[in-house]
Amino acid sequence: MALERVSKILKMADEANTSVIAFNCINYDMAYSAIAVAEQLQKPVLIMLYPEHNYAFNNADIKGFAEMVKALAAKVKIPIGLHLDHSSDFNYIMRAVKDGFTSVMFDGSMMPLEENIRLSRKIVEVARNFDVDVEAELGHVGFAKESDEENLDMYTKPDVAAEFCEATGVSSVAVAIGSAHGVYLEAPKLDLLRLNEINEATDVPLVLHGGSGIPKDQLEIAFTKGINKFNVGTEYFQLYYDSMHEYIETHKEERNVNLLFEMSKYVQGKLKDYLREKMKLSKF
């Protein structure tokens, strides 16, 4: 089928009291593997591109990535969503809309609340004309390596979340409840009580960023308390790198150019094994 609206997939997740998993990808191997396993397991999946990771395509034109995902989505029968991850650049977001992304994220989390609301609403108003969904972030999900201790001031506040969603009209909102991007120094502890309060105060799907390394038991609870989109990047990238490194180390003495063509199959196999386990978190 063709790409599905991300908002529709998140609604499906909400109705199933679960979350769809969104994987950051940088190339064909990563996107293909995620979509192939999603089809095998009959679970929707989202493919995301983080602007700073757009090395495989010209940063001034990300249409190539969008076209690749569209072509892969057309070959399967389950819903596939395409999403632009964190961006605070209005022009870049509009370029993504023009180049075929059906969902974009505006990250104004480090801005004053009024400015975050103003710019989020502006992007929603424009994107709506192109049937494109908009995710925003409220509170701030930082980086694990910088998280020496909890900074509750940066956590999402339920009453502010209600105001923000009403004022902006966003399709979904990423919340800060104790997760962080990157490799955790120790296992995080999600503020599930806060999450429940945010969920009760708002009526839009909630998004959890910094998904690599969060204990499974916490995720299972979070998925029943409003988290309908769960982002995974770091551990997926690390596995991709490790798989390539392992293959190259194993064959480095062979000097056979044909091994390049076998490397993708090897890496895809490793990715698929991981994805089959990860996607079990989605209870579709």
Side-chain angles (χ1 to χ4, degrees), residues 40 130 156 167 279 284:
Q40 182 184 50
F130 298 91
T156 306
M279 286 191 194
F284 284 98

PDB file of all heavy atoms in Angstrom, residues 40 130 156 167 279 284:
ATOM      1  N   GLN A  40       6.211  -8.882   7.996  1.00  0.00           N
ATOM      2  CA  GLN A  40       6.223 -10.258   8.493  1.00  0.00           C
ATOM      3  C   GLN A  40       5.374 -10.405   9.759  1.00  0.00           C
ATOM      4  O   GLN A  40       4.625 -11.372   9.911  1.00  0.00           O
ATOM      5  CB  GLN A  40       7.655 -10.690   8.785  1.00  0.00           C
ATOM      6  CG  GLN A  40       7.789 -12.120   9.274  1.00  0.00           C
ATOM      7  CD  GLN A  40       9.217 -12.467   9.637  1.00  0.00           C
ATOM      8  OE1 GLN A  40       9.876 -11.734  10.378  1.00  0.00           O
ATOM      9  NE2 GLN A  40       9.716 -13.568   9.112  1.00  0.00           N
ATOM     10  N   PHE A 130      -1.125  20.683   3.225  1.00  0.00           N
ATOM     11  CA  PHE A 130      -0.512  19.595   2.453  1.00  0.00           C
ATOM     12  C   PHE A 130      -0.848  18.232   3.039  1.00  0.00           C
ATOM     13  O   PHE A 130      -0.244  17.219   2.660  1.00  0.00           O
ATOM     14  CB  PHE A 130       1.011  19.783   2.419  1.00  0.00           C
ATOM     15  CG  PHE A 130       1.454  21.047   1.753  1.00  0.00           C
ATOM     16  CD1 PHE A 130       1.632  22.216   2.490  1.00  0.00           C
ATOM     17  CD2 PHE A 130       1.687  21.081   0.384  1.00  0.00           C
ATOM     18  CE1 PHE A 130       2.043  23.395   1.879  1.00  0.00           C
ATOM     19  CE2 PHE A 130       2.096  22.257  -0.237  1.00  0.00           C
ATOM     20  CZ  PHE A 130       2.276  23.414   0.511  1.00  0.00           C
ATOM     21  N   THR A 156       7.678  17.576  31.300  1.00  0.00           N
ATOM     22  CA  THR A 156       6.414  18.125  30.802  1.00  0.00           C
ATOM     23  C   THR A 156       5.408  18.240  31.937  1.00  0.00           C
ATOM     24  O   THR A 156       5.222  17.300  32.713  1.00  0.00           O
ATOM     25  CB  THR A 156       5.837  17.211  29.702  1.00  0.00           C
ATOM     26  OG1 THR A 156       6.829  17.011  28.688  1.00  0.00           O
ATOM     27  CG2 THR A 156       4.598  17.836  29.081  1.00  0.00           C
ATOM     28  N   ALA A 167      -3.754  25.104  21.966  1.00  0.00           N
ATOM     29  CA  ALA A 167      -3.347  26.334  21.273  1.00  0.00           C
ATOM     30  C   ALA A 167      -2.687  26.065  19.927  1.00  0.00           C
ATOM     31  O   ALA A 167      -2.741  26.916  19.034  1.00  0.00           O
ATOM     32  CB  ALA A 167      -2.391  27.129  22.160  1.00  0.00           C
ATOM     33  N   MET A 279       9.877  -5.236  17.957  1.00  0.00           N
ATOM     34  CA  MET A 279       8.497  -4.950  17.543  1.00  0.00           C
ATOM     35  C   MET A 279       7.462  -5.721  18.340  1.00  0.00           C
ATOM     36  O   MET A 279       6.268  -5.416  18.279  1.00  0.00           O
ATOM     37  CB  MET A 279       8.331  -5.214  16.047  1.00  0.00           C
ATOM     38  CG  MET A 279       8.980  -4.171  15.177  1.00  0.00           C
ATOM     39  SD  MET A 279       8.499  -4.355  13.434  1.00  0.00           S
ATOM     40  CE  MET A 279       9.724  -3.315  12.649  1.00  0.00           C
ATOM     41  N   PHE A 284      -0.197  -4.683  18.610  1.00  0.00           N
ATOM     42  CA  PHE A 284      -1.240  -4.631  17.574  1.00  0.00           C
ATOM     43  C   PHE A 284      -1.772  -6.050  17.338  1.00  0.00           C
ATOM     44  O   PHE A 284      -1.020  -7.022  17.385  1.00  0.00           O
ATOM     45  CB  PHE A 284      -0.688  -4.071  16.281  1.00  0.00           C
ATOM     46  CG  PHE A 284      -0.505  -2.572  16.298  1.00  0.00           C
ATOM     47  CD1 PHE A 284       0.739  -2.021  16.562  1.00  0.00           C
ATOM     48  CD2 PHE A 284      -1.565  -1.728  16.059  1.00  0.00           C
ATOM     49  CE1 PHE A 284       0.931  -0.650  16.577  1.00  0.00           C
ATOM     50  CE2 PHE A 284      -1.383  -0.345  16.067  1.00  0.00           C
ATOM     51  CZ  PHE A 284      -0.142   0.193  16.337  1.00  0.00           C
TER      52      PHE A 284
END
